[in-house]
Amino acid sequence: VYAGEEPEINRLFRKMANMKASDLHLCVGEKPLVRHDGDIKPLEDFDVFTNEYLEKMLFEIIPEVNKKEFIDTKDTDFAYEIKGVARFRANIFKQRGAVSGAFRVIPYKTFTFEPPIISGNSSIEGIISTLLKDPRSRSVYIVNQDKKLTGIITTLIILKATNILKGKRSVPKDD
């Protein structure tokens, strides 16, 4: 909780949320970069960062325990939230002697759907079609609990088809 003005970085987070960007990248010598619709784009209405300015801006939001970790290891991860706007996963690190930050939006609400059933079996085509038509599917997590399907092979097929048809990059996570 901040008394008075909110942290400077919140301007960037609000801009990111308003344009529905998924990621924010902050590097010394660069303008802020956002991932929007799969493309990395600079935020032209912001200045190029100096190391001193970026470090001050980032340290304003790093929790105390993470500040110690960052000083000791030159890397830290934490979560940050602007109530009513969005939550963010944060990674602050030193790269080539300069501080950098990478942030990903974490949606307040996750969306689920039941895959279409055809003749008692889940249809891969139906699942892919549903994913492709759903405007909420910026990030897709697939959990396969059907022992009749071939596990990771089915998941890879779904991811491959989604990547091809939607032009997005997906990485399978084997839990």
Side-chain angles (χ1 to χ4, degrees):
V1 177
Y2 295 90
E5 288 190 35
E6 66 179 9
E8 176 71 20
I9 198 168
N10 283 11
R11 283 182 49 225
L12 289 166
F13 289 143
R14 288 179 191 285
K15 174 91 173 176
M16 180 185 177
N18 287 339
M19 64 187 295
K20 298 188 180 354
S22 62
D23 300 276
L24 173 67
H25 302 277
L26 307 177
C27 298
V28 170
E30 301 277 343
K31 288 181 179 250
L33 301 170
V34 293
R35 181 178 305 275
H36 183 257
D37 292 334
D39 295 323
I40 302 276
K41 304 171 185 176
L43 294 177
E44 295 296 344
D45 48 337
F46 289 87
D47 292 329
V48 170
F49 290 115
T50 65
N51 191 59
E52 296 75 26
Y53 180 77
L54 185 54
E55 190 168 304
K56 179 180 177 283
M57 186 170 64
L58 293 173
F59 263 69
E60 199 174 10
I61 66 163
I62 299 175
E64 287 304 316
V65 67
N66 295 83
K67 286 179 184 174
K68 180 176 178 359
E69 179 183 42
F70 178 77
I71 290 166
D72 293 345
T73 67
K74 302 191 181 1
D75 191 348
T76 191
D77 298 304
F78 59 95
Y80 183 74
E81 178 178 16
I82 302 175
K83 292 228 183 278
V85 175
R87 296 178 300 153
F88 304 89
R89 185 182 73 207
N91 174 240
I92 310 299
F93 54 97
K94 279 239 174 163
Q95 172 174 282
R96 295 185 292 272
V99 68
S100 297
F103 303 88
R104 160 106 4 126
V105 173
I106 304 169
Y108 278 120
K109 183 177 179 182
T110 56
F111 301 94
T112 60
F113 71 92
E114 289 298 320
I117 304 297
I118 298 175
S119 302
N121 295 316
S122 294
S123 161
I124 291 172
E125 293 81 8
I127 293 169
I128 293 169
S129 175
T130 302
L131 287 173
L132 294 173
K133 290 177 185 171
D134 192 334
R136 303 169 299 183
S137 65
R138 290 187 334 177
S139 296
V140 177
Y141 298 91
I142 298 171
V143 179
N144 181 4
Q145 297 177 330
D146 188 341
K147 301 297 182 203
K148 293 182 272 183
L149 297 176
T150 56
I152 193 68
I153 294 170
T154 301
T155 302
L156 288 172
I157 291 168
I158 292 169
L159 290 173
K160 180 73 172 168
T162 302
N163 290 344
I164 291 168
L165 297 172
K166 201 161 186 178
K168 293 188 178 184
R169 186 168 55 113
S170 304
V171 179
K173 181 170 175 60
D174 189 15
D175 283 333

